[in-house]
Amino acid sequence: MQLSDIRPDQEIVREGDRPSRCFALLEGFACTSKVTDEGKRQIVAFHVPGDMPDVQSLHLDVLDFTIGTLTPCTIGFIQHEVLRDLCARFPRITGALWRDTLISGAIFREWVMNVGQRQAYGRMAHLLCEWIVRMRAAGLAEEHACELPITQSELADATGITTVHVNRTLMELRRDRLIELKGSKLRALDWEGLKQAAGFDPTYLHFRNPAAAAA
Amino acid sequence: MQLSDIRPDQEIVREGDRPSRCFALLEGFACTSKVTDEGKRQIVAFHVPGDMPDVQSLHLDVLDFTIGTLTPCTIGFIQHEVLRDLCARFPRITGALWRDTLISGAIFREWVMNVGQRQAYGRMAHLLCEWIVRMRAAGLAEEHACELPITQSELADATGITTVHVNRTLMELRRDRLIELKGSKLRALDWEGLKQAAGFDPTYLHFRNPAAAAA
DNA sequence: CGTTTGGTTGAAATGTGTCAAACTTTGTGG
DNA sequence: CCACAAAGTTTGACACATTTCAACCAAACG
């Protein structure tokens, strides 16, 4: 596995690439995004340490998305041949990776619903719920507080609302005492309230450990 | 494979189910949807004959979506054990199914972008472009015309806009001579124009046959 | 032939976008 | 360690896309 350190706001792989390797995000945060013909960016996924965001390149030759860093990241590249060999020899690995891509798919579906059916307030709340739960699953949150290394402009690209309106929405969530935001530190002041505002049900994350889903 | 005929507007599998089998859509049209806590429905995918919409149940035990018929359908159920056995004995099948789920994932991402970044007009145009191209790939379209067995209310649930506004948007697409709609018959009068209005680029569908993507 | 389902249209209400400016924090080089 | 620049956040006023509500129309169907 070839290690590499990458600065913030750098692209790791680009739409149109035909990679000959996958990578694992070992440290730092990244996101997958797509751009419309008119140049508007949609972030379709956030990535936390432990994720392998481009496993699909194993089976689909041309990338339909771009993955970029949000913070300084260290990533490990694995050649496709190596991974394919591992899969062939240990079917459990195939299963685990496949399962992983299926969960990503489930999250995309939830995002379609989030962006399609909820208005700004609930949409933002939902994004924050998912973030907190995933951060906790990655061991990067204490109770309902964690880092949120995402600018409001990036939150806008992820939720499909304007930067300005993201700000207003976050203010509203704070006014309602659902969250607290200090610098890049996020805390859910009222986790139950936040979940409710979001209509958040973590089933779609398909956690194996039910405890993680419960909280 | 156990065959079954299903009437329109019936649910085939439901959110929360723990299926012991997958199914293939042999005839007819169906869609995958999710519902918010407030009861708003988001259609996250349409299915055409040949699709296997719930392969994920092979690896994730509880379903996070509902699949329902749009028209009369005939479907074939395949027990998980059978499918798992096939995968174990013929790794190409594993690869093909995995690949298939990855393409579904790619389509979900495109939908996130469509719903998040485009306004009604382009969003609708994009949905129609995808439909026509997929119908053609399924051998169910002649040039740029095909069935569209989807009500405006379903189009609304798929695009995240109101039924009323779907109607206005379709009228506008007709007024601009991009499409023609007669009953459930859709025709792209100006395919290039429609693609442009949609910002449609079929790369994300990952067709193997470049010809399909080209047109 | 009445009933249901789906499509069409208008007017008013509203959530979000746009534009523009000020403010605050963060990071960096002197 | 300060000063400054750059990046990110906050706020206000106004514009606009879409929703909402309500009614009517057309086609499909038993």
Side-chain angles (χ1 to χ4, degrees):
Chain A
M1 193 155 89
Q2 183 199 326
L3 294 185
S4 175
D5 285 318
I6 308 195
R7 277 173 303 175
D9 291 308
Q10 299 300 102
E11 296 182 344
I12 303 173
V13 293
R14 256 171 302 279
E15 199 172 340
D17 282 0
R18 296 166 175 274
S20 59
R21 53 187 191 177
C22 297
F23 71 89
L25 182 58
L26 303 177
E27 265 182 86
F29 300 95
C31 70
T32 296
S33 59
K34 290 171 71 87
V35 179
T36 66
D37 58 322
E38 281 164 344
K40 301 172 108 182
R41 178 171 86 143
Q42 174 73 44
I43 292 177
V44 297
F46 290 114
H47 308 293
V48 303
D51 288 358
M52 289 194 56
D54 70 341
V55 178
Q56 90 157 42
S57 63
L58 252 190
H59 293 277
L60 302 177
D61 45 356
V62 38
L63 278 192
D64 56 78
F65 52 75
T66 295
I67 303 179
T69 56
L70 295 168
T71 64
C73 288
T74 101
I75 65 182
F77 288 104
I78 308 152
Q79 291 299 128
H80 282 168
E81 341 157 15
V82 176
L83 211 47
R84 265 193 265 270
D85 186 54
L86 278 172
C87 285
R89 279 197 289 162
F90 307 102
R92 318 280 313 239
I93 294 186
T94 305
L97 287 177
W98 189 354
R99 191 185 133 87
D100 202 77
T101 59
L102 288 169
I103 294 176
S104 299
I107 299 178
F108 295 139
R109 282 192 294 273
E110 186 76 17
W111 279 45
V112 173
M113 182 169 85
N114 198 36
V115 172
Q117 299 299 332
R118 281 193 261 266
Q119 10 196 85
Y121 189 83
R123 207 184 291 183
M124 197 70 228
H126 192 280
L127 189 154
L128 295 178
C129 283
E130 181 183 304
W131 181 259
I132 289 173
V133 167
R134 288 185 60 205
M135 283 294 274
R136 195 165 30 191
L140 294 171
E142 18 128 323
E143 205 45 18
H144 299 113
C146 62
E147 286 294 316
L148 184 73
I150 308 175
T151 67
Q152 294 190 359
S153 148
E154 285 154 352
L155 289 174
D157 287 347
T159 50
I161 61 189
T162 309
T163 307
V164 171
H165 203 60
V166 163
N167 185 282
R168 291 198 247 263
T169 305
L170 286 174
M171 302 254 76
E172 210 176 334
L173 286 166
R174 288 191 267 195
R175 213 172 305 130
D176 296 345
R177 315 231 129 246
L178 296 181
I179 64 168
E180 184 182 76
L181 222 36
K182 282 182 184 162
S184 69
K185 199 80 185 156
L186 165 69
R187 174 184 302 277
L189 293 176
D190 174 3
W191 178 239
E192 288 306 321
L194 188 62
K195 282 204 312 191
Q196 197 175 336
F200 182 75
D201 170 357
T203 307
Y204 73 97
L205 292 169
H206 294 278
F207 284 128
R208 238 135 183 196
N209 174 5
Chain B
M1 193 154 89
Q2 185 199 326
L3 295 185
S4 175
D5 285 317
I6 307 195
R7 277 173 304 175
D9 290 309
Q10 298 301 103
E11 295 182 344
I12 303 174
V13 294
R14 256 171 304 279
E15 197 172 340
D17 282 359
R18 297 165 175 275
S20 59
R21 54 187 190 177
C22 298
F23 71 89
L25 182 57
L26 303 176
E27 265 181 85
F29 300 94
C31 70
T32 295
S33 60
K34 290 171 71 87
V35 179
T36 67
D37 59 321
E38 282 165 344
K40 301 173 107 182
R41 180 171 83 143
Q42 174 73 44
I43 293 177
V44 297
F46 289 114
H47 307 294
V48 302
D51 287 359
M52 289 195 56
D54 70 341
V55 178
Q56 90 157 41
S57 63
L58 253 189
H59 293 278
L60 302 177
D61 46 355
V62 39
L63 278 192
D64 55 77
F65 53 75
T66 296
I67 303 180
T69 56
L70 296 168
T71 64
C73 288
T74 100
I75 65 182
F77 288 104
I78 308 151
Q79 291 298 130
H80 282 168
E81 340 156 17
V82 176
L83 210 47
R84 266 192 264 270
D85 186 55
L86 278 172
C87 285
R89 279 196 289 161
F90 307 103
R92 317 282 310 240
I93 295 186
T94 305
L97 287 177
W98 189 354
R99 190 185 135 86
D100 202 75
T101 59
L102 288 169
I103 294 176
S104 299
I107 299 178
F108 295 139
R109 282 192 295 272
E110 186 77 17
W111 279 43
V112 173
M113 183 170 84
N114 198 36
V115 172
Q117 299 299 331
R118 282 193 261 265
Q119 14 195 78
Y121 190 83
R123 209 185 290 183
M124 197 69 229
H126 191 280
L127 188 154
L128 295 178
C129 282
E130 182 184 305
W131 181 259
I132 289 174
V133 166
R134 287 186 60 205
M135 283 294 273
R136 195 164 33 191
L140 294 170
E142 19 129 322
E143 205 45 18
H144 299 113
C146 62
E147 285 296 315
L148 183 73
I150 308 174
T151 68
Q152 292 190 359
S153 149
E154 286 155 352
L155 289 173
D157 287 347
T159 51
I161 61 190
T162 308
T163 307
V164 172
H165 203 59
V166 163
N167 184 284
R168 290 198 245 264
T169 306
L170 286 174
M171 302 254 75
E172 209 176 334
L173 285 166
R174 289 191 267 195
R175 211 172 306 130
D176 295 346
R177 315 232 129 245
L178 295 182
I179 64 167
E180 183 181 75
L181 265 173
K182 282 183 185 164
S184 69
K185 199 80 186 156
L186 165 69
R187 174 184 302 278
L189 293 176
D190 175 4
W191 177 240
E192 287 307 322
L194 187 63
K195 283 205 313 193
Q196 197 175 337
F200 182 75
D201 170 358
T203 307
Y204 73 98
L205 291 168
H206 295 279
F207 284 128
R208 241 140 179 190
N209 173 5

